[in-house]
Amino acid sequence: MKKKMPRLKSDKEAEDFVEKADLTEYDLSGMRPIRFEFQPKSERVNMRLPRPLLDAVRASAARAGVPYQRFIRQALEDALQRKRGPR
């Protein structure tokens, strides 16, 4: 039986844990991929949305554990990627 992942409260704590731990001993089934955003955001977009749509976006973002504006940006990126097709 694999060990449960500990709750890490800081980046430093996580770095220290990963440096010393043998991750094959831990249950990683609850892990999910996270997208990192490295490009600076230089442009601003304003749009009007119906309240029910915005409420649904905010709820979905909360379930995904990301801010709702990042959730919208990721949805746009995903839609464009699907339209372009696989590379």
Side-chain angles (χ1 to χ4, degrees), residues 56-82:
V57 165
R58 284 183 169 153
S60 293
R63 281 192 301 276
V66 297
Y68 79 95
Q69 290 181 345
R70 181 180 306 160
F71 184 86
I72 291 169
R73 194 166 43 251
Q74 288 175 348
L76 290 170
E77 289 172 357
D78 291 345
L80 289 172
Q81 186 66 33
R82 282 193 307 273

Side-chain angles (χ1 to χ4, degrees), residues 7-77:
R7 281 214 172 279
L8 305 169
K9 296 179 178 99
S10 69
D11 287 344
K12 176 72 172 123
E13 199 174 317
E15 289 171 8
D16 291 344
F17 173 75
V18 170
E19 185 177 322
K20 297 172 188 163
D22 178 0
L23 296 180
T24 61
E25 297 175 359
Y26 290 87
D27 178 14
L28 303 178
S29 64
M31 304 301 261
R32 60 185 168 92
I34 296 179
R35 296 164 79 172
F36 291 96
E37 297 187 355
F38 296 106
Q39 291 181 316
K41 283 55 163 190
S42 60
E43 302 302 319
R44 182 178 208 106
V45 175
N46 293 315
M47 68 176 79
R48 295 192 180 278
L49 300 173
R51 172 60 62 184
L53 177 57
L54 182 57
D55 290 344
V57 165
R58 284 183 169 153
S60 293
R63 281 192 301 276
V66 297
Y68 79 95
Q69 290 181 345
R70 181 180 306 160
F71 184 86
I72 291 169
R73 194 166 43 251
Q74 288 175 348
L76 290 170
E77 289 172 357

